[in-house]
Amino acid sequence: MHGKPGNKRRRSADQPDLVAQETETSDNVLLKKPKKTMADIQRTEIERLMKRIDKPIEIEVSAQPETSTPREFVYNVKGSSSGASSNDFVKYQHMRRKEHQRIKTIEEEAAKDEERQNYDEELNRQRLKDEERTAKNRAKRQKRKKAKAVAANKKQPQE
């Protein structure tokens, strides 16, 4: 980094250095340490993590991919024949790509909404079916319970 003399970027001891390091020996001969490979970097990272094994590791995972919302309408869309042999063709391709991406995103959202709506309808249909079955079984249980109570009353000797 360039700039003020005291404004140097410092590396922590845990971060590996990716460039070859030069060291002086007692003979004042410069020896180059070999560059660290990806395996070396991974090994030092694992060793660093294993030193603090009791500390939980936080891995951030994005719930949804970062996508921008499609614009309502892309203006100034030119036809494919407009400036076909000039620099405008690149602009046409770019606008066309953006428009196709916008339409694709809108269609995907519509499909997701329809799928979600169908799922909710099926869930409600199944819930009603389960409630009907539960009510029917409840009625049978109560009928049996009532019949059992009537039978128990008949068996009791009357005084």
Side-chain angles (χ1 to χ4, degrees):
M1 300 214 135
H2 302 298
K4 296 177 184 175
N7 196 12
K8 292 184 179 176
R9 185 175 172 195
R10 293 187 178 105
R11 281 189 190 273
S12 67
D14 296 338
Q15 292 179 335
D17 193 4
L18 295 176
V19 295
Q21 300 169 345
E22 296 179 349
T23 58
E24 289 187 30
T25 62
S26 59
D27 301 336
N28 283 338
V29 177
L30 291 176
L31 296 177
K32 288 191 174 184
K33 289 184 180 178
K35 289 184 180 180
K36 290 191 175 185
T37 62
M38 284 306 293
D40 295 334
I41 295 168
Q42 287 177 350
R43 184 176 353 91
T44 56
E45 185 67 19
I46 290 172
E47 288 172 358
R48 183 181 66 83
L49 290 172
M50 293 304 281
K51 285 179 185 175
R52 296 177 288 152
I53 199 161
D54 57 328
K55 184 178 177 182
I57 299 172
E58 295 179 15
I59 300 173
E60 295 180 19
V61 178
S62 174
Q64 294 179 352
E66 295 179 17
T67 57
S68 60
T69 57
R71 294 177 10 197
E72 288 299 313
F73 187 77
V74 178
Y75 295 98
N76 300 327
V77 177
K78 300 178 181 179
S80 61
S81 63
S82 65
S85 63
S86 67
N87 193 21
D88 289 340
F89 186 68
V90 176
K91 294 177 185 175
Y92 158 73
Q93 286 178 321
H94 179 67
M95 284 188 271
R96 183 173 179 262
R97 191 177 310 119
K98 281 174 62 175
E99 179 67 11
H100 283 301
Q101 182 64 36
R102 184 183 77 85
I103 291 171
K104 180 181 174 188
T105 306
I106 291 172
E107 288 174 353
E108 286 175 355
E109 287 177 4
K112 281 183 184 179
D113 287 343
E114 184 179 346
E115 186 177 322
R116 197 175 306 123
Q117 186 178 6
N118 289 341
Y119 174 76
D120 289 342
E121 288 174 3
E122 181 63 30
L123 194 65
N124 287 335
R125 209 173 310 130
Q126 188 65 35
R127 189 175 294 131
L128 288 173
K129 187 177 174 183
D130 289 344
E131 287 174 3
E132 288 174 4
R133 189 180 310 130
T134 304
K136 184 178 175 183
N137 289 340
R138 184 183 307 118
K140 282 184 182 179
R141 272 195 315 275
Q142 288 174 350
K143 187 177 178 182
R144 282 192 306 249
K145 190 175 180 182
K146 197 180 231 183
K148 195 174 189 181
V150 169
N153 283 341
K154 285 185 180 179
K155 286 186 179 180
Q156 287 181 354
Q158 294 186 1
E159 300 173 21

